[in-house]
Amino acid sequence: MSESKSDTEKILKLNEVDLMVKKTAEEKEKYRSIPRGKFKSGRVWKEANHKFSNLVLQNSQRSTWQKKMELKNHKKELKKYEDRLKEEKKEKKLELVRRQKLNEERRKENERKAEIVQTVKNKAKLKRIKKKMLRKVAAAKKSKSKKPQNLN
């Protein structure tokens, strides 16, 4: 008999707890259905804050070890590819700079070769020449002194 009494008491207590839970759930639902007033700030589009503890995390956010390793390998491959592209770009730029320097040197050499040179035998004439002409003569001397040519 004592067992049956305790069982019935447990059942009654459970029923009471269930009723209380249902009532609180109904009350919460009742309050949720009541439209909220206008916020003091005027930002009506903002939602009410929820407790962090009420948030439910989804298990789909967790990934398996295999997926993690696949993702890691994929990232490594992307990094290698990116590095290779950067290296190619750098090499192209260096090649361009090298070609530009060669072209500049070739252009200067061609200018020097194309110069028409007249030797001044009378040194007294140099004193009478204007300053602009003297600069040109000096430039011609410098350019010739850089690479002496054989005049056979």
Side-chain angles (χ1 to χ4, degrees):
M1 273 212 183
S2 63
E3 290 178 13
S4 63
K5 277 189 177 182
S6 63
D7 288 341
T8 54
E9 287 176 6
K10 286 181 183 178
I11 292 172
L12 286 175
K13 284 183 180 178
L14 286 174
N15 286 340
E16 287 177 15
V17 170
D18 285 343
L19 283 174
M20 288 178 63
V21 168
K22 285 181 183 178
K23 282 184 181 178
T24 55
E26 288 173 3
E27 286 177 6
K28 284 182 182 179
E29 193 61 37
K30 181 181 168 185
Y31 283 115
R32 284 187 190 141
S33 65
I34 297 172
R36 297 188 69 122
K38 190 175 180 183
F39 286 105
K40 187 175 183 181
S41 63
R43 296 179 180 159
V44 293
W45 61 88
K46 289 197 137 195
E47 293 181 8
N49 294 334
H50 299 288
K51 286 186 180 178
F52 184 74
S53 59
N54 291 346
L55 292 176
V56 179
L57 294 176
Q58 297 175 353
N59 285 340
S60 62
Q61 291 177 344
R62 296 186 183 132
S63 59
T64 62
W65 178 255
Q66 200 171 22
K67 285 184 181 179
K68 283 182 184 178
M69 289 299 110
E70 287 175 8
L71 187 63
K72 187 176 178 182
N73 290 335
H74 183 67
K75 282 185 181 179
K76 274 186 182 179
E77 290 172 9
L78 282 177
K79 184 70 174 165
K80 285 180 185 177
Y81 180 69
E82 187 179 313
D83 290 342
R84 192 172 69 238
L85 287 178
K86 283 182 183 178
E87 190 64 34
E88 288 174 5
K89 190 176 180 182
K90 197 175 188 180
E91 287 174 7
K92 282 182 182 178
K93 194 170 186 178
L94 287 173
E95 180 64 25
L96 179 69
V97 169
R98 190 182 62 79
R99 278 200 339 259
Q100 285 176 342
K101 284 183 181 178
L102 285 175
N103 288 341
E104 182 69 21
E105 288 175 11
R106 199 174 333 119
R107 189 181 59 76
K108 284 182 180 179
E109 184 68 30
N110 288 340
E111 279 181 11
R112 245 194 343 257
K113 285 180 184 178
E115 284 179 350
I116 298 171
V117 180
Q118 182 180 1
T119 56
V120 178
K121 293 180 182 174
N122 187 0
K123 304 293 180 187
K125 283 185 180 180
L126 286 175
K127 291 182 180 177
R128 291 181 288 188
I129 299 176
K130 291 183 178 179
K131 286 185 179 179
K132 280 189 179 179
M133 291 297 284
L134 270 174
R135 285 190 200 117
K136 286 184 182 177
V137 170
K141 280 186 180 179
K142 285 181 185 175
S143 65
K144 290 222 174 185
S145 65
K146 281 186 180 175
K147 288 192 178 178
Q149 298 173 352
N150 295 335
L151 300 171
N152 295 334

